[in-house]
Amino acid sequence: MEKQRFAELLVNVMQTQTGREFIYELLDTMEVHVPNYVVGRQSVMGYEIGRRSVGEELLRMLRDDTEEGLQLELLMRQEARDRPKEKHKDEFYDQFEGGNV
């Protein structure tokens, strides 16, 4: 598939709120927003960097290869910030909630 057609498809996905949520979660899964350094484990680091580079390429295409991509990216980030966050709990510490030890 040529890059311009892929960029058009990406914009079509980003036109809907559900599509923007999907792309945001995909980028989050690829850990685009966090550094990927694993000390002493080059094979793991290579995998993480490779996964992250796919997400970075999606963002680059959205920003550089489309007219409205940056606006859609900003909207995606605003919507993600406004979504209620699930409170992540560590199972070990859950047993201490409410003073019950």
Side-chain angles (χ1 to χ4, degrees), residues 16-40:
T16 67
Q17 184 175 2
T18 305
R20 290 187 298 273
E21 185 175 356
F22 172 77
I23 295 296
Y24 184 86
E25 294 301 324
L26 183 64
L27 294 171
D28 190 50
T29 299
M30 294 174 180
E31 298 182 344
V32 170
H33 310 293
V34 295
N36 296 2
Y37 299 106
V38 180
V39 177

Side-chain angles (χ1 to χ4, degrees), residues 33-89:
H33 310 293
V34 295
N36 296 2
Y37 299 106
V38 180
V39 177
R41 308 254 342 249
Q42 289 184 345
S43 62
V44 173
M45 191 168 73
Y47 170 79
E48 294 294 329
I49 290 171
R51 183 172 70 165
R52 183 177 179 172
S53 70
V54 173
E56 289 172 344
E57 180 63 15
L58 280 174
L59 282 175
R60 190 207 58 72
M61 283 182 144
L62 186 63
R63 293 171 182 162
D64 298 345
D65 296 345
T66 64
E67 290 182 25
E68 58 192 310
L70 187 57
Q71 294 167 339
L72 289 170
E73 179 187 353
L74 292 174
L75 180 58
M76 172 187 72
R77 292 181 187 282
Q78 289 171 345
E79 290 170 347
R81 191 175 51 240
D82 294 342
R83 275 194 294 276
K85 304 287 186 252
E86 290 183 26
K87 187 176 178 183
H88 176 68
K89 293 184 177 183

Side-chain angles (χ1 to χ4, degrees), residues 1-9 61 65:
M1 175 181 301
E2 70 179 61
K3 289 177 87 171
Q4 187 57 37
R5 177 67 181 141
F6 187 85
E8 290 171 11
L9 293 171
M61 283 182 144
D65 296 345

